[in-house]
Amino acid sequence: MNKLCWICLAVPVMFSCSQPVTGSGETALSQHNDTAVAKHIEAGNDYHSFSNPDEITVTHLDLALTADFEQKQLKGRATLDIVRQQAGADTLVLDTRDLNINSVTVNGQSVDYSLGASDANLGTPLSISLPANAKQVTVNYHTSPEASGVQWLTPAQTAGKQHPFLFTQAQAIHARSFIPLQDSPQVRITYDANIKTPANLLAVMSASNNPHTERDGDYSFSMPQPIPSYLIALAIGDLQFQAMGDRTGVYAEPALLKAAAAEFEDTESMLELTEEKYGPYRWDRYDLLILPPSFPFGGMENPRLSFITPTVIAGDKSLVSLIAHELAHSWSGNTVTNATWRDLWLNEGFTTYLTYRIMEMLYGPDRYNMEAVLGYQSLQSDIDALPEADQKLAIDLRGRNADEVFSDIPYEKGALMLREIEQKIGREAFDKFLLNYFEHFAFESITTDVFLTYLDKTLLKDYPEKLSRARIEQWIFQPGLPEGAPEPQSDAFSDIDEVRQRWLTDKRDANEIDTTLWTTHEWLYFLNNLPDSLPAQKLEELDNAFSLTQSQNNEIAHSWLMIAVKNEYKPAYDRLYKYLVNIGRNKLVKPLYRELAKTPQGKKLATKAFNEAKAGYHPLTIKANEGFIND
Ligand SMILES: [Zn+2]
């Protein structure tokens, strides 16, 4: 469970990069197409950007945009501060996707620019000719209503039903669909922004947000720390704020605000505990933004303002590891980032490891062990499902959609490797290493290879009898898990195994099972490990005893509905239909669609639900699931 950030997006393979490139700014793409020559991945080469930061680097962005909800367009300008890295470099290449460029100016004068050939994965390069003295470039543009990184929701698609809503999702390479920029994680920039909205709505960004700002439709922001482009984020809606602590608070639609603030009230404690262990929080405030149910992911670690799905508001804090995960990104990910998408495991693996540790500090070792076992089971099923090449931490993504990097491999396998190092050298020593690591690489974007070099100079030098370079490389560059990899255990789950077995073998009735002390994790473990095929009478017995069809916990409901679909348990189908129509989080709906699509009757139901839900789904959820329905 707790597939975090947008991990379970799992966008199907549907793009191939085959279009010839004839325009300028082809640096990245020509290398990316030329797989015959490039036998080895060149570390640090971003195969998912056209931009040329090695020649000219963008250091700061000044954004001025107006949100036009009628046209579904962001309109305005992006002004980029540039620094020449190579004398004589006179062409700035930016990434764009479906942007309408109106003009490009330097010091108020128009300059020549051209858009190159489009690529299905990468978008379109924008090449700008720079005068010799240029220090700033302004691009006047507007976005397309279909921008892959922007979702425009109608009032009907929000919790309050009164006002429209907008949110952006830039990771992995969708920032280019709403800002022309060097859309590569190895380029870090600071930014300022002015956003104009309808007067009754509030805009928030991954930047300094003033919780008490006047609601007047004109909002200014500043992000003084350098961040990669995938962390630029904007949301606009009927949002209100409630403080949870001195540095933490929550933004949400009025209908969700109170429940969210109660569910996530431990956020301030999480922040303090993480600081004690891994060093100072470097981003000033830490707030949460609760999105409408159509948000396709669990959460997104936009700095200072994590974007969060409402599906984790369970009423009992049982799903708050998502918050721990997004918060942990403030250290691993936002402070130290992957330089290319091949290196995502440096970001998500460290964050997943930190998440487990935060949950243990806050809720104790039982919770830690249970979440680790569920994570391990999820990893095992991904290893079973993925081709070997995609089971490596440092994945080869050349010629592929960058979104394909998201599986349990960078998250859970990455975390498991760190757990092994921790077990070998001891927790205290490993925590000290992490503290130094975050300090050493603060506000940098690094590759797997830079990490290995750092490891050579630190842990591999200090613990030669306990750790070896060969073992670490096996984790990173080989598929599956190395022999003897740690396997998390939970005593609480051993009890559940026994209970399940007794019920399955009719030694105990369902209503004799004492579940009063069961947490969500125990329920998930009980349900997820049932056999695929169960008689209707057994399902009915379970449902009657525990009202599983009506469970208001979206994770438990998900596990139960999966069982219902596999066994065509019809009493759950009304709930199943409502679930699919009302939730857009891909991790929760995709497995249900995939399972339904296995039978003609199931496919019929999936098609009906999908067509009704489609208007409220994020484009990424649509793309990930449209293959499961009838045309
Ligand atoms: Zn994450």
Side-chain angles (χ1 to χ4, degrees):
M1 57 160 280
N2 292 330
K3 278 316 113 222
L4 307 155
C5 310
W6 57 315
I7 172 173
C8 278
L9 176 63
V11 174
V13 183
M14 50 175 54
F15 295 133
S16 67
C17 177
S18 54
Q19 283 174 280
V21 174
T22 50
S24 52
E26 73 279 22
T27 317
L29 192 64
S30 58
Q31 282 159 350
H32 148 98
N33 270 344
D34 197 3
T35 46
V37 176
K39 287 200 183 72
H40 299 288
I41 294 173
E42 201 181 314
N45 195 348
D46 186 348
Y47 295 95
H48 294 94
S49 173
F50 291 107
S51 67
N52 57 341
D54 49 334
E55 294 173 4
I56 301 172
T57 311
V58 174
T59 57
H60 180 79
L61 160 71
D62 187 66
L63 199 60
L65 293 174
T66 299
D68 182 337
F69 279 88
E70 289 203 346
Q71 304 285 325
K72 296 189 175 178
Q73 287 175 347
L74 294 167
K75 301 173 175 172
R77 58 176 167 72
T79 299
L80 307 168
D81 291 4
I82 52 166
V83 172
R84 280 187 174 76
Q85 304 295 348
Q86 289 178 16
D90 60 2
T91 303
L92 171 68
V93 185
L94 302 177
D95 293 297
T96 75
R97 180 184 288 136
D98 299 330
L99 292 183
N100 296 282
I101 310 295
N102 305 321
S103 66
V104 181
T105 62
V106 172
N107 298 329
Q109 304 292 313
S110 289
V111 295
D112 288 342
Y113 67 92
S114 64
L115 286 163
S118 295
D119 173 84
N121 285 334
L122 304 183
T124 312
L126 168 62
S127 300
I128 300 169
S129 302
L130 295 179
N133 59 350
K135 295 205 163 48
Q136 266 190 347
V137 180
T138 298
V139 182
N140 297 288
Y141 70 101
H142 60 270
T143 61
S144 142
E146 286 79 39
S148 62
V150 186
Q151 191 176 21
W152 301 85
L153 298 175
T154 63
Q157 293 162 355
T158 66
K161 315 282 181 207
Q162 301 296 316
H163 302 278
F165 200 103
L166 170 153
F167 67 85
T168 65
Q169 166 63 39
Q171 197 185 28
I173 57 169
H174 302 285
R176 64 190 66 175
S177 75
F178 57 98
I179 308 170
L181 76 185
Q182 295 183 325
D183 196 10
S184 169
Q186 60 194 304
V187 180
R188 280 177 172 261
I189 57 169
T190 52
Y191 78 86
D192 294 309
N194 178 265
I195 305 293
K196 292 201 166 51
T197 74
N200 53 355
L201 301 182
L202 178 66
V204 289
M205 290 193 82
S206 57
S208 57
N209 290 288
N210 174 4
H212 310 296
T213 186
E214 191 188 344
R215 191 180 284 223
D216 58 1
D218 186 339
Y219 306 100
S220 293
F221 304 91
S222 164
M223 170 46 90
Q225 289 98 345
I227 60 169
S229 53
Y230 77 87
L231 293 175
I232 298 174
L234 166 69
I236 300 170
D238 180 21
L239 295 169
Q240 292 191 350
F241 176 81
Q242 184 169 330
M244 296 189 292
D246 288 346
R247 286 182 290 172
T248 56
V250 59
Y251 291 88
E253 290 185 72
L256 296 169
L257 188 65
K258 271 205 164 53
E263 190 83 16
F264 306 133
E265 65 182 0
D266 294 335
T267 305
E268 187 93 12
S269 309
M270 283 183 186
L271 180 60
E272 287 164 4
L273 288 167
T274 315
E275 278 188 312
E276 270 173 40
K277 198 63 89 188
Y278 302 114
Y281 178 74
R282 300 165 191 267
W283 304 87
D284 193 27
R285 290 194 58 82
Y286 181 71
D287 294 315
L288 306 175
L289 169 68
I290 310 304
L291 289 154
S294 69
F295 186 53
F297 318 116
M300 178 62 212
E301 65 270 23
N302 299 314
R304 296 179 183 225
L305 185 68
S306 289
F307 285 21
I308 304 294
T309 172
T311 62
V312 291
I313 302 174
D316 60 1
K317 302 183 186 175
S318 57
L319 306 176
V320 298
S321 67
L322 179 84
I323 307 298
H325 182 99
E326 304 312 333
L327 172 70
H329 269 303
S330 305
W331 284 260
S332 49
N334 300 1
T335 298
V336 183
T337 309
N338 49 281
T340 74
W341 297 109
R342 163 191 181 241
D343 311 303
L344 180 73
W345 74 274
L346 286 171
N347 180 340
E348 295 298 353
F350 278 72
T351 298
T352 303
Y353 173 83
L354 253 56
T355 306
Y356 288 131
R357 295 292 306 280
I358 296 170
M359 295 310 286
E360 184 181 30
M361 288 191 274
L362 205 53
Y363 303 113
D366 285 352
R367 174 98 171 230
Y368 169 83
N369 289 329
M370 287 194 286
E371 297 203 347
V373 171
L374 290 169
Y376 185 79
Q377 290 196 335
S378 184
L379 171 62
Q380 285 293 356
S381 59
D382 255 14
I383 288 176
D384 291 345
L386 289 169
E388 285 206 336
D390 290 354
Q391 299 172 18
K392 299 173 185 177
L393 288 177
I395 181 177
D396 184 355
L397 287 166
R398 286 175 296 175
R400 299 171 68 182
N401 181 346
D403 292 342
E404 287 172 34
V405 67
F406 290 90
S407 76
D408 266 334
I409 301 300
Y411 291 73
E412 297 290 347
K413 183 179 171 184
L416 206 60
M417 180 183 99
L418 300 181
R419 190 179 168 114
E420 177 173 292
I421 298 175
E422 178 213 309
Q423 287 178 352
K424 285 186 173 168
I425 69 170
R427 186 168 269 196
E428 206 180 318
F430 190 57
D431 280 346
K432 199 169 151 228
F433 165 79
L434 288 174
L435 182 78
N436 292 335
Y437 167 78
F438 294 135
E439 176 67 35
H440 187 84
F441 291 112
F443 299 109
E444 289 185 34
S445 305
I446 65 170
T447 60
T448 299
D449 315 84
V450 168
F451 170 76
L452 281 170
T453 303
Y454 182 73
L455 214 56
D456 280 337
K457 293 180 192 155
T458 53
L459 294 184
L460 291 170
K461 177 166 77 65
D462 297 341
Y463 299 93
E465 71 291 355
K466 292 181 175 161
L467 302 174
S468 79
R469 172 92 181 211
R471 176 80 175 179
I472 301 286
E473 287 185 359
Q474 194 186 350
W475 273 100
I476 295 174
F477 299 114
Q478 298 299 319
L481 297 178
E483 214 178 306
E487 193 177 337
Q489 306 286 341
S490 154
D491 292 344
F493 281 174
S494 307
D495 296 347
I496 302 292
D497 283 331
E498 203 183 307
V499 168
R500 189 191 311 103
Q501 201 48 36
R502 289 177 71 85
W503 176 69
L504 283 170
T505 51
D506 293 326
K507 292 191 179 108
R508 189 183 286 177
D509 288 346
N511 53 24
E512 288 168 355
I513 304 174
D514 183 4
T515 61
T516 42
L517 295 178
W518 282 18
T519 62
T520 297
H521 306 89
E522 283 150 318
W523 270 113
L524 293 176
Y525 186 74
F526 178 84
L527 294 171
N528 293 350
N529 292 284
L530 283 169
D532 278 349
S533 170
L534 283 164
Q537 158 268 328
K538 288 295 258 185
L539 294 174
E540 213 168 287
E541 186 193 332
L542 215 52
D543 201 11
N544 287 341
F546 304 111
S547 304
L548 289 165
T549 296
Q550 299 312 325
S551 174
Q552 291 310 300
N553 181 305
N554 288 306
E555 294 271 3
I556 294 175
H558 169 85
S559 290
W560 174 247
L561 292 173
M562 283 298 290
I563 295 167
V565 175
K566 283 179 189 163
N567 292 280
E568 297 187 30
Y569 175 66
K570 292 295 159 60
Y573 272 39
D574 274 355
R575 175 76 205 281
L576 169 67
Y577 190 84
K578 286 193 190 116
Y579 190 95
L580 290 172
V581 169
N582 289 318
I583 293 177
R585 185 177 171 193
N586 195 49
K587 173 212 167 185
L588 296 178
V589 296
K590 185 177 174 182
L592 291 167
Y593 278 121
R594 185 170 44 211
E595 200 59 39
L596 279 166
K598 290 179 182 171
T599 68
Q601 237 194 341
K603 202 162 191 168
K604 213 170 137 191
L605 179 88
T607 303
K608 190 162 174 249
F610 183 85
N611 286 335
E612 187 176 337
K614 199 173 167 184
Y617 280 165
H618 190 279
L620 290 157
T621 301
I622 293 175
K623 191 171 284 177
N625 291 288
E626 60 194 1
F628 298 128
I629 63 155
N630 290 320
D631 295 331

